[in-house]
Amino acid sequence: LHEFAEYTRPVGKVARMLLTSDLVVYPAESLARSGLRELEDMGGVKHRPRHLRIQPQGYLGFKAHDEDETWSLRSHLGLADGDLIVVGAGHIQPRKGVDWFLQTCHHLQQSLREQGDKRAECLQFVWLGSGYDENDTAVSVWLDAYARRVGIEERVHFPGAVHDVAAALEDANLYLLTSRLDPFPNVAVDALSADCGIGVFRDASGIADFVEE
């Protein structure tokens, strides 16, 4: 069961699955807690069902299609070898927390500057995924407005979807999972496989459970 109950509709759908299934497998304990809360709220069931299991998913290594093996995110964006790349990923929509990504990136830069750390001037912020549109008044225009307001607009990049996320993450120094809620996204598994740093919000994803453990 690869979803949080909080955003699964209709309300009660997850609780019904927990009640009627012979076996339920979650990728992380935080998702199981989400489902159990709904089960208690909707059905009054307070005990943990015996047919519930936790099994994190593995690395898929998915590629959309074959491409030039020499492709790299750094060269695609024209970034210097000394630039430090902070990456977020996903279709641009409210749940993915692209606004929180930019806010976290700005906070990171400001913190480094306050410490006199020269790395602050090397940071580049890249969001991988489709959905950015200058005419999108639901999300995109507010991202632009925020980036300009805090002075990071020249460091923010929206290259769209890439054919090989794993290859893109090989150039990343830090991957930030800033979704409001996200079960166990494959891109986070790709980031762990690429051995780049990873930042998550506690209790907001199954990956946070994995990182803490």
Side-chain angles (χ1 to χ4, degrees):
L1 186 49
H2 191 81
E3 300 296 346
F4 281 93
E6 283 82 353
Y7 60 73
T8 301
R9 293 295 180 271
V11 174
K13 183 177 182 179
V14 171
R16 287 192 293 274
M17 284 190 282
L18 289 173
L19 282 172
T20 59
S21 299
D22 294 315
L23 177 65
V24 176
V25 180
Y26 276 109
E29 182 63 33
S30 59
L31 277 85
R33 290 196 299 270
S34 170
L36 291 172
R37 282 194 296 270
E38 182 173 272
L39 183 61
E40 181 176 354
D41 292 343
M42 301 296 295
V45 178
K46 296 184 178 181
H47 68 275
R48 187 183 181 98
R50 295 181 179 179
H51 65 289
L52 194 153
R53 303 288 185 273
I54 307 297
Q55 179 59 58
Q57 68 202 54
Y59 173 63
L60 299 179
F62 175 78
K63 293 183 181 181
H65 52 79
D66 291 332
E67 284 284 346
D68 183 357
E69 294 296 329
T70 65
W71 183 92
S72 74
L73 180 64
R74 189 178 298 273
S75 61
H76 179 66
L77 296 175
L79 301 179
D81 290 341
D83 284 335
L84 301 175
I85 303 176
V86 181
V87 170
H91 185 79
I92 293 177
Q93 52 151 301
R95 183 172 69 85
K96 288 296 182 178
V98 192
D99 52 340
W100 288 1
F101 172 77
L102 293 184
Q103 290 170 27
T104 304
C105 288
H106 178 239
H107 176 74
L108 173 61
Q109 185 183 50
Q110 290 299 99
S111 296
L112 291 175
R113 281 177 173 167
E114 290 172 3
Q115 297 168 30
D117 193 323
K118 295 180 179 179
R119 291 178 296 176
E121 310 312 319
C122 300
L123 293 172
Q124 299 288 335
F125 312 126
V126 182
W127 187 271
L128 305 175
S130 59
Y132 176 79
D133 184 343
E134 62 181 9
N135 296 311
D136 165 31
T137 57
V139 179
S140 300
V141 298
W142 312 116
L143 301 178
D144 285 344
Y146 176 78
R148 290 192 179 95
R149 187 164 66 250
V150 300
I152 61 172
E153 69 274 19
E154 298 300 323
R155 300 178 183 275
V156 175
H157 309 270
F158 293 103
V162 297
H163 74 282
D164 187 348
V165 173
L169 287 168
E170 289 179 2
D171 277 336
N173 299 95
L174 176 64
Y175 166 73
L176 294 179
L177 176 57
T178 55
S179 298
R180 285 163 169 80
L181 286 174
D182 216 331
F184 209 93
N186 289 324
V187 64
V189 180
D190 289 336
L192 292 170
S193 179
D195 200 29
C196 69
I198 183 168
V200 298
F201 294 146
R202 179 172 291 167
D203 296 328
S205 70
I207 287 289
D209 297 10
F210 183 81
V211 170
E212 286 190 322
E213 291 174 4

